[in-house]
């Protein structure tokens, strides 16, 4: 296995797990894990919007890393077979 393949696979796995975690942290209609965390840390509505904006940014970053690493893997191994 070449180092580029190992790096792309590690990035794919880490970004996939991070994407799942940060999507689950988003609140839906005022009830969610991020709402519970934000209400315990911030007591105002502006704090909650700051937390949501940061969650959005982090989620977008993980999604971009996931898509780029997936596309690089598709270019490197178009047939889907990794030969030893």
């Amino acid at each position: 296995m070449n180092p580029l393949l190992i790096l792309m696979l590690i990035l794919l796995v880490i970004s996939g797990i991070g994407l799942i975690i940060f999507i689950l942290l988003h609140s839906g209609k005022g009830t969610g894990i991020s709402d519970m965390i934000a209400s315990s840390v911030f007591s105002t509505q502006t704090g909650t919007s700051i937390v949501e904006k940061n969650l959005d940014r982090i989620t977008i970053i993980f999604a971009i890393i996931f898509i780029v690493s997936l596309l690089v893997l598709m270019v490197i191994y178009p047939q889907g077979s990794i030969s030893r």
Side-chain angles (χ1 to χ4, degrees), residues 25-71:
L25 281 174
H26 279 88
S27 64
K29 298 183 181 179
T31 58
I33 296 174
S34 67
D35 195 33
M36 288 185 284
I37 294 170
S39 65
S40 65
V41 174
F42 301 107
S43 61
T44 63
Q45 185 63 25
T46 59
T48 305
S49 65
I50 292 172
V51 170
E52 287 293 326
K53 285 180 184 177
N54 289 335
L55 278 175
D56 289 340
R57 289 180 186 138
I58 294 171
T59 305
I60 290 170
I61 290 170
F62 273 115
I64 290 171
I65 293 171
F66 184 81
I67 290 171
V68 167
S69 63
L70 188 63
L71 289 174

